[in-house]
Amino acid sequence: MSLRLEPRDHASVSLKLTVSLAAGVIALLLVAVPVIAAGGTPLEAYWLMLQGAFGSMFALSETLNRATPLILTGLAAAVAFRAKLWNIGAEGQLYIGALAAVCVGSGLMQLPPVLMIPTVMVAGFLAGGLMMVIPTIIKQRFGADEVVITLLLNFVVILFIQMLVEGVLKDPLSMGWPQSVPLIAEAKLPKLLPRLRMHWGLITGLVAALILWLMVRKTVLGFEIRAVGENKAAARFAGIPVDATMLKVALISGGLAGLAGVGEVAGVKDYLSSDLSPGFGYSGIVVAMLAGLSPVGTVIAAVFVAAVFVGADSMSRATGISSYIADLVVALSLLCVLVGSFFLRFSVKFERRQVGA
Amino acid sequence: MTDAPVLLSLQNITKRFGPLIANNAISLDLHRGEILALLGENGAGKTTLMNILFGHYVQDEGDVRVLADHGALATLPPGSPGAALKAGLGMVHQHFTLAENLSGLDNIRLGTEPLLSFGREATARAKVKKITAESGLDVDLDRRVADLTVGEKQRIEILKALYRDAKVLILDEPTAVLTPQEAEGLFVVLRRLAENGLGVIFISHKLGEVLAVSHRILVLRAGTKAGELVTAKADRRAIADLMVGKAVAEVVRIPALPGETLMEFDGVSLNGAGRQALSGVNLKLRSGEIVGLAGVSGNGQSGIAALISGLAVPSSGTLRLYGEAITKASPRDLVEAGVARMPEDRQHDGVVGTMSVADNIAIEEVRSPAFSKMGLLDRKAMRERATSAISGYDVRCPGPDAEARLLSGGNVQKLILARVLEREPRVILANQPTRGLDVGAQAEVHRRILAARDRGAAVLVISEDLDELFALADRFVVVHAGELADAGSSESLDRGTIGLMMAGQARTPVGIAS
Amino acid sequence: QELTKVAAVWTVPVEQQWASRLHNALIAAKDRGEIDYVYSENISNTDYERVMREYAEQGVKLIVGEAFGVEQPARAVASEYPEISFLMGSSLPPVEPNFATFDNFIHEPSYLTGIVAGLKTESNKIGMVGGYAIPEVNRLMNAFKAGALSVNPDVTFSVSFINSWYDPPKAKEAAFAMVDAGADILYAERFGVSDAAKERGILAIGNVIDTAADYPGTILASALWHGEPMIDKAIADVKAGSFTASDYGIYAFMEYGGSSAVYDEALAGADAVAAAKAKEAEILAKTFVVEIDDSEPTSTP
Amino acid sequence: MDVLFDILGSANFWAAAIRIATPLIFGVLGALICERAGVLNLGIEGIFVAGAMAGWLAVYLGAGLWGGVLVAALAGALFGLLHAFLTVILGLSQHVSGIGITLLATSVSYFTYRTALPDVTSPPRIAAFQPLNIPGLSDLPFFGPALFQQTPLTFLALVFVVLVALVLYRTPLGLAIRAVGDNPASVEAQGLSVVGLRVGAVVVGSALMALGGAFLTMSAFDAFFFGMVNGRGWICIALVVFASWQPGKALLGALLFGAFDAFQIRLQAQIGQVVPGQVFLMLPYLLSIVALILVARRADYPRALLQPWTKGQRH
Ligand SMILES: Nc1ncnc2c1ncn2[C@@H]1O[C@H](COP(=O)(O)OP(=O)(O)OP(=O)(O)O)[C@@H](O)[C@H]1O
Ligand SMILES: Nc1ncnc2c1ncn2[C@@H]1O[C@H](COP(=O)(O)OP(=O)(O)OP(=O)(O)O)[C@@H](O)[C@H]1O
Ligand SMILES: [Mg+2]
Ligand SMILES: [Mg+2]
């Protein structure tokens, strides 16, 4: 018997569903290990996870609320990775977007909400975009690796934000806590439903996904981004302006991450602090890769990751298991889905091979 | 020859890739001291067979047997390059398998010493020196491979095999990237090695070479063995017919009727990267004329190509298109002005492998109204163009939506021809237009280029294959060390003259010199 | 009969000095059989509101936690669950009817440890290492400085913040730097500082928890916070139905037994301890009030 | 200016720089080995945590200190094996696998710690490594305290720098690792196993990273805390590029980083906060970026980095 791998040209929808389902089931089986180790019962834990993620309007809203920034940072990674621009800096771009939102939206100008909200969003988009355009220019000019630069800039940005919220941006009414002045009411993103945290950032994310989907499939820009991403030399030879295309990608990618930051301050927190994001920028990379860099897939993957986290976290509270299990469940699910993607690319065949004596 | 002992024996090798049968029950024997040429169209299965022999691929059926020390044939375990190397097989791959960050010597030593030891660099160097002295394969062993020319890389590849005391040497299209001189040098080495008892399998699309160097010829067609010939009794026609399965028509060139100058290099120099550098180049490309650019690779051909492609701008002098200076034209400007450019490295610069055939055909013009409106792609128009190109240029592929990476080299070349010629360009740069293509595909490309000339296009053909230049060019120019010399009309030239000029030993053709 | 269910939501792991004082008090109450206690630790501010709501939905009677980074949402949750009592660490005032607040007001014992340190230092240099310059940290450092200066006006202070709640190796490095600059007593706001003191053979002042046993011969004195008076009072109030939106921060004051100073007399010497104890008596007698100063402490120029 | 010379002239400052650099040296060497073989290992941050936790826990549960070091290395190797399985054998995305490993290693470590020690309220301590007293060397004026009063793990880190450099540049194994990171086909064609070399490199590299974590809980400190790795792993990823994938420069980069950190801590302690503290904390990152820009053109990138390799596939 020998085992052999054959690359697939296409993965059918039913295969994708089967693989996703199998990955989910295996992840759940693995989760049983820590649950039992902590003295819980797996079946109960599964049920509580499901309840915690989708079991009530509140749970669903919390899941979608957590998915909102993940959709945007996921799209940010997806669009950049398609062009082989390795933006690991969505975390920093998110903060810079949030910072821009606070700068224009905390009383600098007075506008009615119909104008104020778009202004805040555009500011956040441009600021986040700029934060990615700079490393891209550095890469083009000096050949310095953008993975490392964007990664390093995350730390710089967070320190910068800490400096601001302890300094010039500090809210005089915050009793000394390092946080910025809050946004004015007109700049806040309205909630989607009363008493639930879900806000218009979610709609922004969905619209962004739709626009990106259209861009990738239907536009010249999408075509050029693909060409540049897949083969820079051939794209350049064929007359596509490679550097300019990369800068556009950088702007869009950073901008989307910036919008995630806008959503978190204007939709959830109202003010900026250096703990605005528990790593949404990094999770966005995971989300994008799980989605195979597809914009629509990114939305699904973001909801999946959010649901796993929210569900597992809620389960930990109901069972008294340490809340660190939530991240553990996310990690296990992620790795299972990742392994599953292998079976979408290859079919595994067992066969007898004839080898003469 | 066939009396000599069998070194290597393939028995009924079959290999399938999904539904495709790349090798169908192929058997062959290789004898001591024999040079066996393996021929076949692109995609016939030559490389696949060699990859199985060497353990890169695992065959579905059949055996590879190699003469062992005890004097009998022993079966190789499938899928183990290590075992193949141990058994005395050496392979020079179609695409280089060199670590570019290491020196030539380190590439040769790689894998030959116990991993956890301090290595034996001095011993290795001495052994390589001995081999280079015997074989004439001279190369700087301490330069990083990245800094070597393709010819030098090729020599390192051969040295890798010889260093391991190979009994059988397999060379997959070794001359595709060599200059005629380098190729000639290689043949001398191969003959000497064969005389010393080495068995050689040699893959090439160049029938002239095959006839000159091999003892026996094996032809593959669509994965099956189409025939076997003794070289001494074979001729070009018979081989070509066996490969293609039908007669290959000769391409005939009628004399040119040159018209106005369309593109002109006026004292153009290009600084920087050594292999691109040019100094004071003058060149006129006239309507209805094919200019052949000869030269040993690395003497400035890539600089001239980069200028015409819009990838470089002259550091001094003027480049004119239709009489106007175009010192700062981008690739897109040139495309729009009607310049067709065929890149030297078609896989690297010519196509985006993961995009479809249709996308690759439209790529130069996506922004034109033909393929997009207000930033939105017109997919229908793109597919229509692709469909007509596929049939018009005989691009063998499953259809316009197939990914370009699945096409063979010849078909990629036809795709590029379709892309650039369909617009009826006025200036054409054909850089190594048939490198690695089989005879049928070569003839097709030549026919297309000649047709474009007859339509009134100005053509510059850059090639290291002098046969090709003599088949196409109306006029020759030769580049040496960044300087361009006019060699005159092809009718008045012979190979010897061009060879001297390529070597930099004559500035003008002998006899025309003032 | 069902036990009163109490939930705590911590933004830090429960080892963190601050949270551990209340966590321990709650565990003690649970062990006494008074309450049923559940908790979530290391909850980011983004998740804080959700966790509060989940506990609220589970029907707990009292939620203890820290609203510092989430003042508005925490108050919003409380207003939606008027039947549940909230006891939250907060720098802002309480809100009727159910949002009570507290803070760790252990500036009084901090002042007393300052007296000991001021009398004990020989180099007249004291090094202080903190996490972040927030009011909860600042007020303790400032009280300590005031205490030291009250007995020894020549003392100079070096202050540095490591910008992390949890990086003991880094706190240790910062403390080493203080020692290298001549400090002979370290104010150990974070884990890691006393380790440096012990390793270099100098003295340290403990904060919030008593670590004297871990660093024999090192901890001169400590200002301790006791969560029990406040937690026990809150539980009793909830059980009695008399929980009000008041400021429970006062239960950290010495007069309620919410904080205390402990001294190692062998290290500090009888005189210094006596001086501190005398001041302690004044504080308890309310003849002396330690000033609450939340501004960021700085090094002596 | 005086302050500057005071600080740079003190032996303690140099000792601190080396101490702060130690975990980075382990981490950057580990990352370097992985990347030289063509595999980016973003699992480093989590592997640091796993090493810190596993080594500490082993000692806490009764193992000897060196036993703890071994356990930490094994924990790192285990996560390395997982990363290698996903990226080398299955050829999956190195970015995602790496981030997944970081998430997994971190959460497994935290979860294990909390589940094993549910009721601790003051972190339990172990008897950690103590600075060595090397007769002769440690007593040298200035150089003794500056260089030779470190814990054994620091010396181990320095030994590894030499060892890695030796293996990489002086042995056939190193040759093969450098080749496989540049062009796996070259290694396969010479009869060596691409998968074997890469898996080996990732496993060994990850074990080294874990030692960086172990240093934190067994040398720099004597207890495990949540969040105590605090981005040190990510810094190593940057340092590898800064070092152009060379062990000697990696050591230099780590020492520079350590020196800078030690310097800013001392400056803060001596003259207080003249500018916001964050400015100092930012500087190492900004300087790394500047350094990257300066070296980028000359850097010798492993060309096969991030490229999966599957036998029998066209590449
Ligand atoms: N790794 C692979 N996976 C799938 N199919 C393959 C693979 N390698 C080769 N093939 C198939 O096998 C056939 C034979 O390919 P091969 O490379 O052996 O041709 P060749 O005779 O060497 O051609 P050329 O003259 O162009 O080098 C091709 O048509 C291709 O479809
Ligand atoms: N990854 C792959 N999967 C499937 N088929 C492939 C793959 N790579 C190459 N092939 C097939 O292998 C055949 C030969 O490929 P190859 O790259 O050797 O082309 P070629 O004609 O030899 O071009 P060149 O001479 O320029 O190298 C092609 O027909 C192509 O369809
Ligand atoms: Mg081939
Ligand atoms: Mg070929």
Side-chain angles (χ1 to χ4, degrees):
Chain A
M1 285 291 269
S2 78
L3 188 146
R4 88 180 220 180
L5 300 174
E6 273 189 16
R8 291 179 205 273
D9 282 346
H10 269 292
S12 66
V13 176
S14 68
L15 179 72
K16 281 184 183 166
L17 284 178
T18 316
V19 165
S20 308
L21 214 68
V25 169
I26 291 173
L28 283 181
L29 290 178
L30 289 175
V31 169
V33 176
V35 168
I36 293 170
T41 33
L43 281 180
E44 187 201 2
Y46 300 150
W47 175 244
L48 288 168
M49 274 175 65
L50 197 66
Q51 286 281 310
F54 301 112
S56 64
M57 203 51 214
F58 167 73
L60 184 65
S61 140
E62 280 300 324
T63 297
L64 292 178
N65 184 51
R66 198 180 177 85
T68 301
L70 293 180
I71 293 174
L72 286 162
T73 54
L75 291 173
V79 69
F81 286 14
R82 263 176 187 272
K84 302 262 155 64
L85 181 65
W86 303 110
N87 177 7
I88 314 291
E91 186 80 0
Q93 292 143 22
L94 180 151
Y95 274 99
I96 289 292
L99 174 64
V102 169
C103 287
V104 300
S106 57
L108 180 73
M109 51 182 129
Q110 298 289 338
L111 292 170
V114 275
L115 294 178
M116 196 68 214
I117 290 176
T119 308
V120 165
M121 287 202 164
V122 168
F125 184 91
L126 290 179
L130 192 67
M131 206 55 213
M132 187 58 213
V133 164
I134 293 170
T136 309
I137 292 177
I138 293 180
K139 177 191 166 87
Q140 289 171 354
R141 281 283 160 82
F142 305 101
D145 182 41
E146 78 277 21
V147 173
V148 180
I149 294 194
T150 52
L151 183 65
L152 289 176
L153 281 178
N154 288 341
F155 303 105
V156 176
V157 167
I158 292 191
L159 287 164
F160 182 63
I161 298 280
Q162 268 180 25
M163 190 171 100
L164 293 182
V165 296
E166 286 174 22
V168 290
L169 275 183
K170 185 167 179 171
D171 183 1
L173 302 177
S174 73
M175 310 298 297
W177 280 81
Q179 60 194 42
S180 79
V181 286
L183 292 183
I184 57 174
E186 291 82 357
K188 290 180 189 166
L189 297 180
K191 306 279 181 217
L192 289 176
L193 290 169
R195 291 178 62 146
L196 293 175
R197 289 208 290 170
M198 255 188 321
H199 56 88
W200 271 84
L202 179 63
I203 309 296
T204 314
L206 296 179
V207 170
L210 193 72
I211 292 177
L212 278 193
W213 179 76
L214 281 176
M215 188 190 87
V216 169
R217 301 207 123 203
K218 309 270 182 205
T219 67
V220 172
L221 181 60
F223 182 99
E224 293 181 340
I225 291 175
R226 265 186 76 194
V228 169
E230 302 289 352
N231 186 345
K232 211 167 270 179
R236 178 172 290 127
F237 191 88
I240 293 173
V242 172
D243 284 358
T245 306
M246 282 303 223
L247 289 177
K248 287 179 203 164
V249 171
L251 182 69
I252 296 173
S253 172
L256 288 167
L259 279 184
V262 174
E264 289 308 282
V265 278
V268 183
K269 277 221 60 195
D270 297 351
Y271 58 84
L272 176 62
S273 59
S274 62
D275 58 1
L276 183 71
S277 155
F280 289 135
Y282 301 103
S283 313
I285 296 168
V286 168
V287 165
M289 298 301 292
L290 285 182
L293 307 187
S294 115
V296 177
T298 299
V299 174
I300 299 172
V303 173
F304 169 78
V305 170
V308 168
F309 181 85
V310 171
D313 194 39
S314 159
M315 175 270 283
S316 80
R317 256 179 297 291
T319 54
I321 293 174
S322 158
S323 51
Y324 295 109
I325 199 168
D327 279 332
L328 183 52
V329 177
V330 173
L332 288 174
S333 312
L334 165 65
L335 293 176
C336 287
V337 175
L338 186 62
V339 172
S341 74
F342 174 80
F343 293 97
L344 295 181
R345 291 201 290 124
F346 292 95
S347 60
V348 181
K349 296 213 166 100
F350 293 93
E351 60 184 31
R352 242 173 245 292
R353 198 163 42 77
Q354 316 291 324
V355 183
Chain B
M1 184 54 62
T2 39
D3 313 331
V6 173
L7 283 178
L8 168 78
S9 172
L10 299 189
Q11 314 247 319
N12 282 312
I13 300 285
T14 295
K15 173 72 182 174
R16 285 178 285 264
F17 291 110
L20 177 104
I21 304 180
N23 289 156
N24 191 358
I26 295 177
S27 301
L28 73 80
D29 284 339
L30 179 72
H31 302 264
R32 254 179 88 89
E34 182 184 35
I35 301 180
L36 172 70
L38 191 58
L39 290 184
E41 284 186 291
N42 294 127
K46 308 177 295 290
T47 300
T48 303
L49 189 64
M50 295 304 108
N51 277 338
I52 289 169
L53 180 48
F54 197 67
H56 287 309
Y57 291 178
V58 177
Q59 66 270 37
D60 296 307
E61 282 157 39
D63 274 348
V64 179
R65 297 185 189 170
V66 187
L67 184 67
D69 291 336
H70 50 74
L73 290 175
T75 304
L76 276 187
S80 166
L85 286 167
K86 224 188 215 138
L89 302 186
M91 175 136 162
V92 175
H93 295 77
Q94 182 169 1
H95 305 285
F96 294 136
T97 56
L98 296 169
E100 303 227 326
N101 59 341
L102 303 182
S103 70
L105 182 63
D106 283 345
N107 266 286
I108 294 168
R109 287 167 62 207
L110 183 62
T112 60
E113 295 159 19
L115 287 181
L116 286 172
S117 67
F118 272 104
R120 302 175 200 124
E121 191 181 323
T123 329
R125 184 183 300 276
K127 180 167 175 188
V128 176
K129 287 265 185 239
K130 190 161 154 270
I131 298 170
T132 52
E134 284 168 6
S135 65
L137 288 163
D138 200 20
V139 52
D140 184 347
L141 291 175
D142 295 315
R143 287 264 288 281
R144 279 162 42 105
V145 167
D147 302 329
L148 299 179
T149 64
V150 273
E152 291 170 310
K153 287 181 188 172
Q154 187 70 271
R155 270 171 262 171
I156 297 283
E157 285 283 9
I158 299 168
L159 285 173
K160 269 164 64 177
L162 299 182
Y163 181 77
R164 289 174 177 259
D165 305 316
K167 291 189 288 220
V168 174
L169 183 59
I170 302 157
L171 301 116
D172 194 350
E173 297 193 37
T175 57
V177 291
L178 296 185
T179 61
Q181 286 84 348
E182 286 173 322
E184 198 45 56
L186 174 63
F187 299 143
V188 172
V189 172
L190 286 186
R191 285 195 199 97
R192 187 180 313 152
L193 292 172
E195 278 158 24
N196 291 342
L198 198 77
V200 177
I201 300 180
F202 172 73
I203 300 177
S204 175
H205 291 296
K206 297 177 186 170
L207 298 187
E209 297 175 359
V210 168
L211 289 169
V213 79
S214 72
H215 301 122
R216 200 152 56 94
I217 298 172
L218 191 101
V219 180
L220 295 187
R221 187 164 71 231
T224 52
K225 196 153 97 177
E228 215 176 316
L229 302 165
V230 176
T231 309
K233 296 180 194 154
D235 67 24
R236 272 170 188 269
R237 264 217 99 81
I239 302 170
D241 293 350
L242 203 53
M243 277 167 64
V244 185
K246 59 175 198 260
V248 178
E250 289 275 329
V251 181
V252 276
R253 179 169 59 87
I254 53 166
L257 296 167
E260 53 176 331
T261 299
L262 296 182
M263 186 178 249
E264 184 180 3
F265 284 63
D266 186 357
V268 169
S269 297
L270 192 59
N271 297 339
R275 315 189 54 193
Q276 277 205 354
L278 296 173
S279 59
V281 166
N282 294 307
L283 174 66
K284 282 187 174 144
L285 301 179
R286 291 179 295 179
S287 165
E289 184 185 51
I290 297 179
V291 176
L293 175 63
V296 176
S297 100
N299 272 283
Q301 291 96 327
S302 54
I304 291 176
L307 286 165
I308 302 181
S309 304
L311 297 174
V313 289
S315 37
S316 69
T318 323
L319 189 61
R320 287 196 198 88
L321 185 63
Y322 317 139
E324 277 175 49
I326 50 154
T327 17
K328 273 222 168 112
S330 70
R332 180 167 287 169
D333 296 337
L334 287 162
V335 170
E336 282 170 3
V339 179
R341 303 118 68 243
M342 298 166 61
E344 174 180 9
D345 184 340
R346 50 182 167 264
Q347 302 291 356
H348 187 254
D349 298 321
V351 288
V352 181
T354 49
M355 289 174 83
S356 69
V357 169
D359 287 348
N360 275 291
I361 284 180
I363 191 167
E364 287 187 341
E365 294 178 88
V366 274
R367 278 184 185 267
S368 83
F371 294 127
S372 65
K373 308 214 164 38
M374 296 194 309
L376 291 179
L377 293 174
D378 185 349
R379 287 265 174 215
K380 202 164 141 248
M382 290 166 68
R383 294 185 89 249
E384 275 166 13
R385 164 76 70 86
T387 312
S388 77
I390 288 171
S391 58
Y393 287 76
D394 188 28
V395 183
R396 307 247 171 98
C397 66
D401 298 326
E403 287 185 12
R405 74 184 162 92
L406 296 174
L407 270 58
S408 73
N411 285 303
V412 167
Q413 193 69 331
K414 288 191 228 162
L415 185 159
I416 291 169
L417 276 174
R419 169 166 97 202
V420 299
L421 294 185
E422 202 54 24
R423 273 179 288 130
E424 310 224 323
R426 299 179 66 193
V427 177
I428 298 172
L429 163 71
N431 198 352
Q432 312 294 352
T434 60
R435 178 182 278 173
L437 265 52
D438 63 51
V439 282
Q442 264 180 33
E444 179 65 23
V445 171
H446 288 173
R447 220 185 333 271
R448 295 282 178 183
I449 292 175
L450 284 167
R453 179 203 71 166
D454 294 344
R455 196 177 34 77
V459 183
L460 178 69
V461 176
I462 304 178
S463 178
E464 280 156 16
D465 183 351
L466 283 183
D467 289 342
E468 170 160 272
L469 287 179
F470 275 101
L472 289 176
D474 301 310
R475 190 159 63 87
F476 270 75
V477 290
V478 180
V479 68
H480 175 76
E483 293 183 19
L484 198 69
D486 196 340
S489 142
S490 54
E491 273 69 35
S492 63
L493 282 169
D494 59 44
R495 285 164 176 274
T497 313
I498 295 284
L500 281 178
M501 290 179 75
M502 284 166 70
Q505 292 174 8
R507 282 285 298 145
T508 47
V510 188
I512 309 176
S514 47
Chain C
Q1 185 224 330
E2 204 160 285
L3 286 175
T4 309
K5 197 165 176 189
V6 179
V9 188
W10 307 115
T11 61
V12 290
V14 292
E15 278 91 350
Q16 205 264 358
Q17 297 100 309
W18 208 89
S20 73
R21 303 311 285 168
L22 305 177
H23 179 67
N24 281 355
L26 285 160
I27 297 240
K30 177 186 171 190
D31 292 345
R32 290 196 303 269
E34 290 172 18
I35 56 166
D36 180 9
Y37 171 54
V38 289
Y39 71 94
S40 292
E41 61 180 330
N42 217 12
I43 299 299
S44 74
N45 279 335
T46 308
D47 297 318
Y48 203 90
E49 182 180 344
R50 172 165 50 80
V51 176
M52 280 178 77
R53 282 180 190 273
E54 281 181 2
Y55 279 133
E57 287 294 324
Q58 280 181 17
V60 301
K61 290 285 172 293
L62 170 66
I63 294 181
V64 183
E66 316 154 69
F68 296 111
V70 284
E71 295 282 4
Q72 262 191 341
R75 283 152 207 267
V77 174
S79 72
E80 285 170 33
Y81 296 92
E83 70 285 359
I84 298 175
S85 305
F86 291 83
L87 177 60
M88 306 297 282
S90 167
S91 308
L92 296 176
V95 193
E96 291 297 344
N98 61 337
F99 192 88
T101 57
F102 68 88
D103 211 336
N104 69 332
F105 287 101
I106 62 164
H107 51 291
E108 293 164 335
S110 296
Y111 187 93
L112 300 177
T113 58
I115 291 177
V116 176
L119 291 172
K120 189 70 192 162
T121 176
E122 282 165 16
S123 66
N124 280 343
K125 284 187 179 171
I126 295 180
M128 309 176 73
V129 179
Y132 290 97
I134 57 151
E136 283 54 41
V137 173
N138 298 348
R139 78 171 65 109
L140 311 189
M141 285 188 161
N142 286 327
F144 172 82
K145 282 171 81 172
L149 287 171
S150 72
V151 294
N152 181 354
D154 296 332
V155 183
T156 60
F157 301 90
S158 305
V159 182
S160 71
F161 292 97
I162 60 167
N163 274 291
S164 163
W165 291 132
Y166 257 116
D167 197 338
K170 189 156 198 177
K172 196 170 161 187
E173 284 299 340
F176 278 144
M178 302 281 183
V179 183
D180 292 347
D184 64 351
I185 295 181
L186 296 174
Y187 179 80
E189 205 272 324
R190 291 287 111 197
F191 274 126
V193 180
S194 305
D195 299 82
K198 187 175 160 219
E199 218 167 293
R200 290 286 168 88
I202 63 163
L203 299 169
I205 300 291
N207 184 43
V208 176
I209 58 174
D210 190 355
T211 54
D214 291 333
Y215 307 99
T218 303
I219 307 291
L220 193 53
S222 301
L224 305 183
W225 185 25
H226 307 291
E228 291 77 9
M230 175 180 84
I231 291 294
D232 295 348
K233 174 82 168 71
I235 291 171
D237 286 348
V238 168
K239 284 192 165 174
S242 59
F243 189 90
T244 52
S246 56
D247 181 0
Y248 278 71
I250 52 165
Y251 294 104
F253 283 60
M254 291 183 90
E255 66 168 304
Y256 292 96
S259 54
S260 65
V262 292
Y263 316 96
D264 186 330
E265 210 166 324
L267 289 175
D271 292 350
V273 172
K277 289 220 159 124
K279 206 52 147 188
E280 180 173 335
E282 285 181 44
I283 291 172
L284 289 173
K286 304 204 175 169
T287 54
F288 177 76
V289 177
V290 180
E291 193 198 347
I292 297 177
D293 174 5
D294 287 354
S295 66
E296 181 171 338
T298 52
S299 300
T300 315
Chain D
M1 251 1 214
D2 284 353
V3 181
L4 184 82
F5 289 118
D6 278 358
I7 292 176
L8 295 184
S10 101
N12 284 330
F13 161 76
W14 294 103
I18 296 172
R19 204 164 48 227
I20 296 172
T22 301
L24 303 181
I25 297 174
F26 280 118
V28 73
L29 283 180
L32 183 145
I33 294 174
C34 296
E35 291 183 27
R36 273 289 186 160
V39 182
L40 176 69
N41 191 351
L42 291 183
I44 184 168
E45 181 79 7
I47 292 174
F48 256 75
V49 179
M53 208 290 290
W56 176 87
L57 190 64
V59 177
Y60 181 72
L61 295 178
L65 278 172
W66 288 106
V69 170
L70 197 69
V71 169
L74 281 178
L78 204 67
F79 284 108
L81 194 64
L82 182 58
H83 186 58
F85 173 72
L86 296 172
T87 59
V88 179
I89 296 179
L90 299 187
L92 297 166
S93 157
Q94 297 181 6
H95 286 118
V96 185
S97 172
I99 292 177
I101 297 282
T102 281
L103 200 56
L104 182 72
T106 307
S107 53
V108 164
S109 306
Y110 288 1
F111 186 80
T112 307
Y113 179 83
R114 176 54 84 231
T115 309
L117 307 166
D119 288 326
V120 293
T121 46
S122 168
R125 309 297 181 112
I126 58 171
F129 281 110
Q130 293 303 312
L132 287 181
N133 196 349
I134 308 171
L137 292 178
S138 301
D139 307 328
L140 289 175
F142 188 80
F143 290 103
L147 305 178
F148 298 109
Q149 293 181 6
Q150 302 283 352
T151 59
L153 287 184
T154 298
F155 294 110
L156 187 68
L158 297 176
V159 167
F160 269 120
V161 175
V162 179
L163 205 65
V164 170
L166 265 183
V167 169
L168 217 45
Y169 295 114
R170 287 279 174 271
T171 68
L173 175 63
L175 204 60
I177 289 175
R178 285 183 288 148
V180 80
D182 186 80
N183 180 9
S186 70
V187 164
E188 154 122 345
Q190 292 284 63
L192 296 171
S193 162
V194 175
V195 169
L197 283 166
R198 287 193 164 170
V199 171
V202 175
V203 168
V204 170
S206 302
L208 274 183
M209 296 170 182
L211 293 187
F215 177 85
L216 293 178
T217 48
M218 300 170 61
S219 241
F221 211 68
D222 56 3
F224 176 78
F225 289 85
F226 296 99
M228 82 190 289
V229 172
N230 211 3
R232 285 178 176 89
W234 303 130
I235 289 169
C236 294
I237 295 289
L239 282 176
V240 182
V241 184
F242 172 84
S244 309
W245 293 270
Q246 294 171 22
K249 287 192 189 163
L251 173 65
L252 189 74
L255 286 177
L256 270 179
F257 202 98
F260 199 87
D261 214 19
F263 181 75
Q264 69 92 6
I265 290 171
R266 275 163 180 73
L267 202 63
Q268 236 197 83
Q270 296 202 357
I271 63 173
Q273 292 202 351
V274 266
V275 288
Q278 288 89 1
V279 172
F280 280 109
L281 297 176
M282 256 182 235
L283 275 175
Y285 299 107
L286 290 173
L287 289 178
S288 294
I289 293 176
V290 172
L292 270 183
I293 292 173
L294 296 180
V295 304
R297 282 273 177 245
R298 279 169 291 130
D300 204 0
Y301 222 85
R303 284 187 310 141
L305 191 64
L306 296 178
Q307 310 284 320
W309 165 267
T310 318
K311 193 177 162 67
Q313 284 287 118
R314 292 285 178 89
H315 290 272

